């Protein structure tokens, strides 16, 4: 990585070649990738692309280092996680700066993401001291235990949108439960999604060889998924890539956790407080430019308040400010790259051709996409069905609660849903019938508190498989252990 104008105390140049990083980090390295600032197009640096050979070498080294780490006293593993949290707290502002510059986050989103990531480290520090199994009933004279053991090497593949949090939410609990980790961040956000994490753990005193950070694209991800030293893949990303990862993991008999895309409904019932409904809708749709797996992809609004809701949403969308979050206090920053922008633009145009009304936005300048409102969207419209991953409100009217349930469930995804109503009983009754992994009554769809299980069903992944109580299950496996004072005299 070459020098940047950003503070270097936390990410100093000597690290580009440190042992902790088995990837090639130096500027001018073979197949180096440019790290670009989406808001300006400026070059922040260069980062190496790991190839299949580097993935194999890292996985092998991680496997060799894992056993000694697991044998360490539990409180020593806890101490490393706690120290990593302290280092992150100390360098909070630098991390936030990087998130703003590298991923186009607003400062508020970047601060929220950093806070969540620190919380993950603190929570993970508590994992090693938890009970690790149970005593089973057995025959007389035999001690029979069911105990949880680490898997070995966990491969983590992470996306660009919450690059730090979506990587560290797997890296930290996997290490805490005694595993080694090979992390492959998205190459567009390899500093926040990889380099920062490696640096936190290096400064926290994590023994060498346990965490390998290998920036790279699909090829490096595919190599990780098929490597014989890797026992599990924790993947967060698109459903398309997730299917490939799931197939490969199945073929190579690896455990796999898939956190994929979503088309999440926020249902606004006709008795909802209109001001609060608008605030929730705008947050769910426009936060981080709509680039969140839990973003509100459909606003289902009951007919009685539909027109008033729509008019005020359009006015709100037109008021939102868009610009470079590094230099101005804006509501929305840029999309991550031209590919994402062109995808969003295509869907908005196709939606209009299919009969939706464009009430606000729809255009873009560079990577800055206007806060957009599409209304009167019907079930056969591409905007109703596709994950847009951009600041586009898709507003759909409905008449009855039954119809709202049918509309919300009309998707292959099943990540998050939310219902707004003054009648909590009615909202809960409706919510019970939504096929999702995350359900919120009187809130919007974008929520994560770290200590909750997180995940979706259907094309959103294989269940609430990560976070909070799910972590111990996820990153360890059962072993049955029996002990007798003497071996039995079997009759053969
Ligand atoms: P993506 O699938 O293109 O990339 C995600 C990661 O997978 C990157 O590191 C990428 O390099 C890697 N990858 C791509 N193809 C691969 C392959 N064949 N084998 C192994 N690795 C491969 O995702 P994206 O489009 O950049 O990210 C946005 C998507 O991620 C959206 O669909 C969003 O909903 C989803 N997402 C889900 C969650 C969740 O927790 N459910 C969180 C954030 C984002």
């Amino acid at each position: 990585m070459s020098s940047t104008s950003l503070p270097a105390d936390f990410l100093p140049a000597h690290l580009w070649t440190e042992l902790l990083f088995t990837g090639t980090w130096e500027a001018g390295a073979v197949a180096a990738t440019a790290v670009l600032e989406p808001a300006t197009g400026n070059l922040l640096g260069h980062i190496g692309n790991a190839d299949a050979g580097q993935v194999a070498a890292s996985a092998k080294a991680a496997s060799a280092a894992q056993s000694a780490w697991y044998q360490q006293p539990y409180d020593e593993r806890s101490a490393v996680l706690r120290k990593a949290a302290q280092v992150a707290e100390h360098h909070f502002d630098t991390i936030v700066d990087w998130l703003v510059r590298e991923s186009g986050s607003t400062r508020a989103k970047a601060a929220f993401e950093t806070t969540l990531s620190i919380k993950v480290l603190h929570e993970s520090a508590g994992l090693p001291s938890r009970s690790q199994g149970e005593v089973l009933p057995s025959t007389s004279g035999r001690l029979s235990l069911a105990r949880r053991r680490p898997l070995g090497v966990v491969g983590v593949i992470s996306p660009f949108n919450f690059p730090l949090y979506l990587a560290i939410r797997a890296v930290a609990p996997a290490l805490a439960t005694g595993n080694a980790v090979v992390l492959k961040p998205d190459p567009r956000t390899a500093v926040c999604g990889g380099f920062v994490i490696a640096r936190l753990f290096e400064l926290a005193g994590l023994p060498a060889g346990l965490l390998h950070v290998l920036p790279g694209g699909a090829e490096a991800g595919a190599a990780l998924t098929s490597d014989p030293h890797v026992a599990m893949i924790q993947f967060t990303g698109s459903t398309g890539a997730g299917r490939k990862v799931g197939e490969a993991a199945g073929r190579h008999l690896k455990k796999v956790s898939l956190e994929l895309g979503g088309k999440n409904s926020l249902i606004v019932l006709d008795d909802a407080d209109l001001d609060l409904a608008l605030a929730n809708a705008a947050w769910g749709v426009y936060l981080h430019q709509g680039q969140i797996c839990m973003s509100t992809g459909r606003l289902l609004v009951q007919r009685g308040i539909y027109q008033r809701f729509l008019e005020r949403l359009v006015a709100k969308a037109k008021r939102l400010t868009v610009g470079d979050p590094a230099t101005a206090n804006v509501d929305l920053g840029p999309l991550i790259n031209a590919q994402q922008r062109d995808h969003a633009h295509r869907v908005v145009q196709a939606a209009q051709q299919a009969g939706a009304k464009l009430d606000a936005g729809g255009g873009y300048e560079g990577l800055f996409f206007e806060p957009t409102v599409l209304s009167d969207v019907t079930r056969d419209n591409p905007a109703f069905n596709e994950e847009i991953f951009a600041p586009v409100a898709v507003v759909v009217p409905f008449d009855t609660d039954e119809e709202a349930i049918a509309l919300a469930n009309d998707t292959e995804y099943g990540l998050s849903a939310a219902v707004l109503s003054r009648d909590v009983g009615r909202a809960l009754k409706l919510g019970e019938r939504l096929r999702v992994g995350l359900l919120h009554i009187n809130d919007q769809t974008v929520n994560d508190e770290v200590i909750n299980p997180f995940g979706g069903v259907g094309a959103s992944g294989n269940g609430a498989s990560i976070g909070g109580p799910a972590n111990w299950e996820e990153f360890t496996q059962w072993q049955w252990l029996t002990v007798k004072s003497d071996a039995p005299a079997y009759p053969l």
Side-chain angles (χ1 to χ4, degrees), residues 157-161 166 169 184-188 216-218 221-222 225 235-239 241-242 244-245 259-262 292-293 340 387 389 415 454 460:
I157 302 175
S158 53
F160 72 85
N161 58 335
L166 295 176
R169 73 172 178 177
K184 193 212 76 64
D186 190 296
R188 290 166 289 188
T225 311
F235 175 88
T236 303
S238 64
T239 297
K244 291 185 192 152
V245 168
E259 302 290 355
L260 311 176
I292 306 178
C293 53
Q340 291 289 132
E387 187 185 41
F389 234 55
L415 186 56
F454 187 99
S460 292

Side-chain angles (χ1 to χ4, degrees), residues 38-330:
T40 59
N42 287 344
L43 185 69
L44 295 175
H46 286 94
I47 211 142
N49 251 333
D51 60 20
Q54 286 167 309
V55 171
S58 285
K60 192 171 173 198
S63 177
Q66 183 266 329
S67 172
W69 171 238
Y70 176 51
Q71 300 307 323
Q72 280 202 9
Y74 72 90
D75 43 1
E76 287 182 21
R77 273 188 277 132
S78 288
V80 171
L81 274 295
R82 248 193 323 276
K83 185 76 198 311
Q86 288 161 359
V87 175
E89 280 157 2
H90 185 72
H91 293 286
F92 191 94
D93 291 342
T94 305
I95 298 171
V96 168
D97 282 344
W98 267 101
L99 281 165
V100 169
R101 302 274 307 263
E102 190 190 35
S103 80
S105 305
T106 60
R107 199 154 285 279
K109 180 268 187 185
F112 173 65
E113 180 172 356
T114 307
T115 303
L116 271 187
S117 303
I118 291 169
K119 196 168 167 186
V120 166
L121 291 166
H122 281 301
E123 286 298 325
S124 299
L127 287 175
S129 59
R130 302 248 173 101
S131 164
Q132 294 172 22
E134 45 194 273
V135 181
L136 303 174
S138 188
T139 52
S140 170
R142 173 152 92 168
L143 180 64
S144 176
L145 302 174
R147 61 175 184 167
R148 305 285 316 183
R149 312 245 303 159
L151 297 164
V153 179
V154 175
V156 176
I157 302 175
S158 53
F160 72 85
N161 58 335
F162 269 65
L164 175 63
Y165 175 61
L166 295 176
I168 211 165
R169 73 172 178 177
V171 171
L175 287 172
T177 48
N179 299 284
V181 172
V182 179
L183 165 63
K184 193 212 76 64
D186 190 296
R188 290 166 289 188
T189 48
V191 175
C192 295
F195 205 48
V196 165
I197 296 171
R199 182 70 171 140
L200 290 177
F201 280 105
E202 186 199 37
L203 292 174
L206 183 75
L210 282 169
L211 173 60
H212 299 254
V213 176
L214 299 174
E219 189 206 340
L224 191 58
T225 311
S226 60
D227 192 280
H229 289 102
V230 175
M232 174 193 176
I233 296 289
Q234 200 292 307
F235 175 88
T236 303
S238 64
T239 297
R243 281 187 210 283
K244 291 185 192 152
V245 168
E247 277 171 24
R251 203 173 323 120
H252 296 278
L253 303 177
K254 293 186 198 311
K255 184 171 182 176
V256 65
S257 152
L258 300 169
E259 302 290 355
L260 311 176
K263 188 71 182 176
N264 314 292
S265 288
L266 171 59
I267 300 173
V268 186
L269 297 180
D270 54 7
D271 63 353
D273 179 305
L274 201 55
D275 289 337
L276 292 179
L278 282 155
N280 276 264
W283 188 264
V285 171
Y286 298 120
L287 181 66
H288 197 42
Q289 298 79 262
Q291 300 172 112
I292 306 178
C293 53
M294 298 169 280
S295 287
T296 300
R298 291 175 187 164
L299 277 168
L300 309 182
V301 186
Q302 198 154 15
R303 193 87 58 186
I305 55 167
Y306 181 79
Q307 210 49 46
R308 272 182 299 150
F309 178 94
L310 183 60
E311 279 163 20
R312 290 185 56 188
L313 181 70
V314 169
K316 201 183 248 292
K318 288 181 175 165
R319 274 201 309 273
L320 293 175
T321 54
V322 185
D324 181 351
T327 55
N329 184 16
V330 289

Side-chain angles (χ1 to χ4, degrees), residues 360-415:
Y364 61 81
E365 202 179 314
L367 298 184
F368 298 103
F369 206 93
E370 293 168 350
T372 297
V373 179
L374 291 169
S375 67
D376 295 349
V377 178
T378 49
R379 280 166 103 139
D380 52 356
N381 193 296
F384 183 87
N385 293 299
E386 283 190 48
E387 187 185 41
I388 307 178
F389 234 55
V392 181
V394 174
V395 195
V396 184
F398 69 89
D399 289 302
T400 63
D401 292 12
E402 277 303 319
E403 196 186 345
I405 294 164
L407 285 166
N409 283 338
D410 185 8
T411 171
E412 62 169 348
Y413 294 112
L415 186 56

Side-chain angles (χ1 to χ4, degrees), residues 331-355:
D331 297 314
L332 278 76
L335 294 177
I336 191 72
N337 63 11
Q339 199 187 349
Q340 291 289 132
R341 178 203 63 201
D342 294 344
H343 162 73
H345 195 239
R346 254 195 315 276
V347 177
V348 170
Q349 288 190 319
Q352 290 172 263
Q353 278 156 21

